[in-house]
Amino acid sequence: MITTTDAANILYTACKNIFGMPVYQAGNIPAGKVGKDGRVVIHAKEYTPGSTWKKGFIEVNLFAADTPHSNADLTRLNELERMATKFLKDMGWHDGTAYRFEVASTIPMENANLKAHYINTKVLFKVLNTME
């Protein structure tokens, strides 16, 4: 069985390997503005049951600090979006259960309080629906 927290942990590891910047999960996000290295924030959502796969979206937000003039760093945001689309996909086994994930959508967004813009990446996470 793979829980939503297991799925978030799987994506946590993948993001650390792909993006090379600090990674945080919901409930463990530091306060304050985004530093110059940026950050990744993972928010797991509930699964929807299916006959073969249980499916759920996990939001992976890829933050890039704003420029000194409070503008979006469009070059860095483009790099992050391309990296997410290209590398944020995998399939494997965890705790005896098969899973797969891939990017379903991306969109740039802003968080003025954090003085950053980010790529909101929705990752479709599927877990093989086996009888436990």
Side-chain angles (χ1 to χ4, degrees), residues 6-126:
D6 290 325
N9 288 335
I10 290 166
L11 278 171
Y12 176 91
T13 301
C15 288
K16 281 189 75 140
N17 293 331
I18 294 168
F19 300 106
M21 54 187 182
V23 180
Y24 304 97
Q25 293 185 43
N28 193 27
I29 303 166
K33 66 181 187 176
V34 173
K36 67 176 183 157
D37 294 335
R39 73 170 71 150
V40 178
V41 178
I42 299 169
H43 295 275
K45 308 293 183 179
E46 73 276 358
Y47 289 129
T48 302
S51 58
T52 306
W53 296 92
K54 291 189 295 184
K55 301 174 186 177
F57 286 99
I58 298 178
E59 291 189 10
V60 177
N61 294 317
L62 308 168
F63 284 85
D66 285 347
T67 67
H69 302 330
S70 298
N71 294 320
D73 184 346
L74 297 176
T75 301
R76 180 65 176 144
L77 289 169
N78 181 261
E79 291 170 355
L80 292 171
E81 188 171 16
R82 286 177 170 276
M83 289 170 67
T85 303
K86 185 173 182 178
F87 298 115
L88 203 51
K89 56 186 163 193
D90 195 12
M91 61 177 61
W93 292 83
H94 177 79
D95 198 23
T97 303
Y99 69 86
R100 64 178 13 165
F101 64 85
E102 64 186 345
V103 172
S105 67
T106 60
I107 187 169
M109 302 182 87
E110 177 183 12
N111 187 318
N113 292 335
L114 297 178
K115 297 187 188 269
H117 284 71
Y118 63 100
I119 301 297
N120 174 258
T121 307
K122 290 187 179 158
V123 175
L124 178 59
F125 198 99
K126 299 179 186 178

